[in-house]
Amino acid sequence: MRLAFSWLTVLPLRVDDVDRTAAGRAIARTPVVGVVIGAFVVGVLHLLATSGTPELVAGFLAVGVVALVTRGMHLDGLADVADGLGCYGPPERALKVMKDGGAGPFGVVSLIVVLGAQAAALPHAHWGVVLLAFATSRAAFGICCLRGVPAARPEGLGALVAGTQHPGIVIGTWAVLALAAVPLGIRAVVAVVVAGALVWGLVKHTGKRFGGITGDVLGAAAEIALLAVLVVA
């Protein structure tokens, strides 16, 4: 859990000697980190609402706060994956584009659309939906790291966590999310299913395009799952 929080937040937690076993356990616990982040966002939205901040402005401020507390790593992954999928050439070229560091037109448009939609949806979401959305977004990592899913590179975060998740644990996690969504209504349950399907589709497509997952794919999966739950639910 300490490793999961050190990876996914700005909390100054230090973890030494990280191997695949520890990384796999951290990935399995990331939905808990999502719940904590979601609770923080609920608090921010409540403060902005009580201060009379316009809803859309509050939504964008909340999105900005999330970027700060997560170091913006998932947003970087979303932009890089969009640019990688948008370029021509073999997997090697796509991976080179993703590693370039800059944001191309596909990445910029993806950030505008995803962040804009999240900002518009957040102020209207029930607090339970916000918690569910952030938990689901972090549960997306489990699908990306299922056994049998290879890493696109021999180094990096993708290589460390690829294939570390047992299918039973991943299915169980998503089943718990679906059950947790029941009190929020049928749309919330559908939102979890849609999010899982989108993440699985992303994993399959990036596997064909890049040859496997990278850390950027994990970030893109989290942002897509978050958006899906907020919009559908």
Side-chain angles (χ1 to χ4, degrees):
M1 187 63 73
R2 185 183 183 90
L3 177 58
F5 273 98
S6 72
W7 272 350
L8 302 181
T9 70
V10 294
L11 293 175
L13 301 174
R14 180 174 176 176
V15 181
D16 298 318
D17 301 323
V18 178
D19 55 15
R20 277 180 60 83
T21 300
R25 291 173 179 170
I27 290 293
R29 289 160 174 76
T30 52
V32 177
V33 182
V35 172
V36 174
I37 295 174
F40 180 68
V41 173
V42 169
V44 170
L45 289 170
H46 178 71
L47 287 175
L48 292 172
T50 54
S51 68
T53 305
E55 289 183 341
L56 187 57
V57 175
F60 272 104
L61 290 175
V63 167
V65 168
V66 173
L68 287 175
V69 301
T70 61
R71 301 189 187 94
M73 63 176 68
H74 306 322
L75 300 179
D76 178 67
L78 174 65
D80 286 344
V81 168
D83 285 331
L85 293 176
C87 74
Y88 292 103
E92 293 77 16
R93 171 167 168 70
L95 291 172
K96 183 178 180 180
V97 168
M98 292 167 63
K99 202 171 183 179
D100 179 60
F106 287 103
V108 171
V109 171
S110 296
L111 289 174
I112 292 173
V113 172
V114 171
L115 293 179
Q118 289 178 1
L122 273 170
H124 302 283
H126 184 275
W127 66 266
V129 170
V130 176
L131 296 182
L132 179 68
F134 279 92
T136 302
S137 70
R138 274 54 184 177
F141 301 148
I143 295 178
C144 296
C145 301
L146 273 168
R147 289 182 182 176
V149 177
R153 299 189 183 99
E155 75 286 335
L157 178 61
L160 182 63
V161 300
T164 59
Q165 300 304 297
H166 190 283
I169 294 177
V170 175
I171 293 172
T173 298
W174 281 81
V176 169
L177 290 170
L179 288 174
V182 171
L184 299 170
I186 187 62
R187 291 179 66 91
V189 178
V190 173
V192 172
V193 174
V194 170
L198 289 174
V199 172
W200 178 244
L202 176 69
V203 171
K204 298 296 288 184
H205 186 55
T206 53
K208 293 178 181 178
R209 185 68 183 90
F210 307 146
I213 66 161
T214 66
D216 287 330
V217 173
L218 270 68
E223 292 300 325
I224 290 172
L226 177 63
L227 178 61
V229 175
L230 289 176
V231 171
V232 176

